[in-house]
Amino acid sequence: MIYIGLTGWGDHYSLYPAQIKPKDKLSEYSSHFPVVEVDASFYAVQPERNAAKWAADTPGNFRFVVKAYQGMTGHQRTEIPFETKKEMFEAFKASLQPYQRAGKLAMVLFQFPPWFDCRKENVNYLRYCKKMMGDIPVALEFRHQSWFHSRYREGTLSFMKEEGWIHSIADEPQNGNGSIPIVPEVTHPDMTLVRMHGRNYHGWVKPSSKDTNWREVRYLYKYNEQELAEWVKRVKELCTSSKDIIVLFNNNSGGDAADNAKQFQRMLGIEYEGLSSKQLGLF
């Protein structure tokens, strides 16, 4: 099955009726899409009550892709509020339990930073992460181009298959070592993740100056029909080797993610059943 959704549910203003309360947005979001990426988990390990509420706010067949905490992926440069790595991983896994009890956890996404390059030390750390996560489905997304240089590409894909990592395939601007090419390869027979970051070449890399608005424009991009048609073909090909495909649109700096996701759904001819009922939104 192909699941199409967005990264986060708070900022997609085109989906919601006027004056909707933030606490009601996920329920309304789940009347449009069957899957969402949880980004809050990247910034802090979430209390279980949050996941319990989010699971309760969505229909039975809804799925969550939960982003790994930044301390687990090496993004956090300030002090990590855990005494050991083991404690950090255990706290994060405990935060997933409400999703698991509801049968709604699709996977945990480990997205590594641009400075996480292809070398032995980092390969060993990936093995450590996989071991710590146990039987929880985990996806892997790189941001350093070295993992898919011609010298390492086949080794990277073989490693992911052997270790049981789900491939998170990225569509993103090709702007130096801090971006990866499109590598439409399946590494796990059950599931494959596709993340559509947009192609804002000039906004992708953080400028050397202190530009406080950089993150607000990084994902400023609207996919055109030809670009989406290329992905229709790729996703159909991926379906021949992977049971489920999850496609998440992350190009929301200009509010384009929801519209592109719905356009992509129409192009694939998909109509989802079992979504939440929409609010009337009369005013």
Side-chain angles (χ1 to χ4, degrees):
M1 181 172 173
I2 301 170
Y3 296 82
I4 300 170
L6 311 175
T7 56
W9 59 85
D11 299 329
H12 309 289
Y13 58 86
S14 66
L15 298 179
Y16 305 122
Q19 308 304 319
I20 189 173
K21 296 178 181 179
K23 68 180 181 65
D24 297 326
K25 283 188 173 182
L26 178 57
S27 179
E28 180 69 8
Y29 171 96
S30 65
S31 71
H32 295 271
F33 300 107
V35 64
V36 75
E37 179 179 303
V38 179
D39 293 330
S41 55
F42 173 78
Y43 299 101
V45 174
Q46 298 295 298
E48 289 187 49
R49 66 178 181 274
N50 287 2
K53 180 185 184 305
W54 297 335
D57 284 348
T58 51
N61 59 354
F62 194 84
R63 296 293 179 266
F64 292 89
V65 174
V66 182
K67 202 167 184 182
Y69 172 56
Q70 61 182 336
M72 295 156 60
T73 55
H75 285 84
Q76 187 161 321
R77 297 184 176 185
T78 57
E79 186 175 350
I80 295 173
F82 298 98
E83 291 187 5
T84 65
K85 284 184 179 179
K86 182 179 180 181
E87 180 186 338
M88 175 174 60
F89 274 83
E90 292 300 328
F92 181 80
K93 286 191 290 184
S95 74
L96 302 175
Q97 290 180 5
Y99 302 116
Q100 292 175 299
R101 287 194 294 266
K104 295 184 177 183
L105 179 65
M107 66 184 76
V108 171
L109 168 64
F110 281 74
Q111 179 196 296
F112 284 90
W115 54 87
F116 189 84
D117 58 351
C118 185
R119 51 193 167 99
K120 188 66 174 179
E121 176 186 351
N122 290 337
V123 171
N124 289 338
Y125 183 67
L126 291 177
R127 287 196 172 97
Y128 173 81
C129 292
K130 188 67 176 62
K131 179 180 178 181
M132 292 300 294
M133 295 303 292
D135 60 359
I136 295 171
V138 286
L140 179 55
E141 181 174 327
F142 296 112
R143 280 282 168 87
H144 195 282
Q145 204 174 76
S146 60
W147 295 94
F148 292 115
H149 283 170
S150 57
R151 182 179 176 184
Y152 299 117
R153 174 182 164 126
E154 293 307 316
T156 295
L157 293 170
S158 294
F159 167 80
M160 292 173 69
K161 291 176 183 177
E162 291 165 4
E163 294 289 318
W165 286 97
I166 296 163
H167 191 189
S168 177
I169 303 166
D171 183 299
E172 62 193 33
Q174 298 304 291
N175 191 339
N177 283 330
S179 58
I180 58 170
I182 295 172
V183 182
E185 298 285 344
V186 170
T187 60
H188 197 290
D190 291 338
M191 206 169 298
T192 300
L193 179 63
V194 175
R195 297 177 80 229
M196 307 289 284
H197 298 300
R199 299 177 182 180
N200 185 352
Y201 177 87
H202 296 289
W204 186 248
V205 179
K206 185 176 182 179
S208 55
S209 60
K210 294 182 179 180
D211 186 349
T212 57
N213 296 320
W214 170 67
R215 291 194 179 278
E216 296 178 14
V217 302
R218 189 180 194 194
Y219 301 105
L220 181 61
Y221 191 82
K222 184 175 183 177
Y223 285 96
N224 62 42
E225 187 167 352
Q226 181 179 347
E227 291 166 338
L228 293 179
E230 295 170 359
W231 273 104
V232 167
K233 182 179 179 181
R234 289 191 185 105
V235 166
K236 287 181 177 179
E237 290 174 351
L238 292 170
C239 285
T240 64
S241 302
S242 187
K243 179 181 175 183
D244 290 328
I245 311 291
I246 295 177
V247 182
L248 298 172
F249 282 81
N250 191 35
N251 56 320
N252 200 51
S253 293
D256 294 310
D259 289 344
N260 270 161
K262 292 201 168 196
Q263 182 182 6
F264 193 61
Q265 180 182 336
R266 289 193 298 270
M267 292 172 73
L268 281 164
I270 296 173
E271 291 187 14
Y272 293 114
E273 298 180 357
L275 299 177
S276 294
S277 299
K278 289 185 173 64
Q279 295 186 19
L280 293 178
L282 297 177
F283 300 97

